[in-house]
Amino acid sequence: NFSKLDVSPMDVVLFRGENNEPLARVLYSRPQTRDREIFGKLVPYGEVWRTGANEATEITLYNDLMVGDKTIKKGTYTLFTIPKEKEWTIVLNNSTNIWGAYDYHVEKDVAR
């Protein structure tokens, strides 16, 4: 017997470069709104969110990446966001293999 399918299925997206080489992979679970108001209600504005459902979203960089004037080394990071009404802050964090944003620690941020 198999367990029930997750209502927020896990997905993966692979971003490829001009020569079809992999540049980044994002592993995430798609949240289901179920007629709920998500941002500003279920996910409060100004608070760290896991950027998806269930496990925190992870991004793997296959090459170093420039974010603004900062070099992010290739590797796997957790992708958090801080939603606001008009803009969002994107956070790359060194914590991996975590559920939700409960184990988020600002001191592990690599870039914002």
Side-chain angles (χ1 to χ4, degrees):
N1 292 336
F2 293 101
S3 60
K4 296 185 330 184
L5 290 177
D6 194 334
V7 295
S8 297
M10 187 171 279
D11 234 332
V12 65
V13 173
L14 186 62
F15 178 71
R16 294 183 180 275
E18 292 178 14
N19 297 326
N20 205 31
E21 78 278 9
L23 299 176
R25 181 186 74 181
V26 177
L27 187 63
Y28 66 101
S29 290
R30 290 179 276 136
Q32 305 298 309
T33 60
R34 295 190 298 257
D35 297 321
R36 299 175 292 178
E37 187 174 342
I38 304 301
F39 301 107
K41 297 285 183 178
L42 186 63
V43 175
Y45 289 131
E47 292 186 19
V48 173
W49 178 50
R50 63 183 155 212
T51 318
N54 303 332
E55 292 81 6
T57 295
E58 288 188 356
I59 183 168
T60 299
L61 304 175
Y62 294 104
N63 298 302
D64 294 352
L65 174 73
M66 290 297 295
V67 176
D69 60 353
K70 186 169 189 171
T71 301
I72 308 303
K73 297 291 183 189
K74 69 180 180 179
T76 300
Y77 303 92
T78 295
L79 180 70
F80 292 106
T81 51
I82 303 170
K84 296 181 183 170
E85 284 188 71
K86 304 266 184 211
E87 63 183 36
W88 288 23
T89 300
I90 307 298
V91 179
L92 292 178
N93 187 282
N94 271 327
S95 297
T96 56
N97 299 310
I98 60 174
W99 197 94
Y102 302 107
D103 287 324
Y104 170 78
H105 299 285
V106 68
E107 63 272 7
K108 292 187 176 185
D109 286 358
V110 176
R112 283 182 173 228

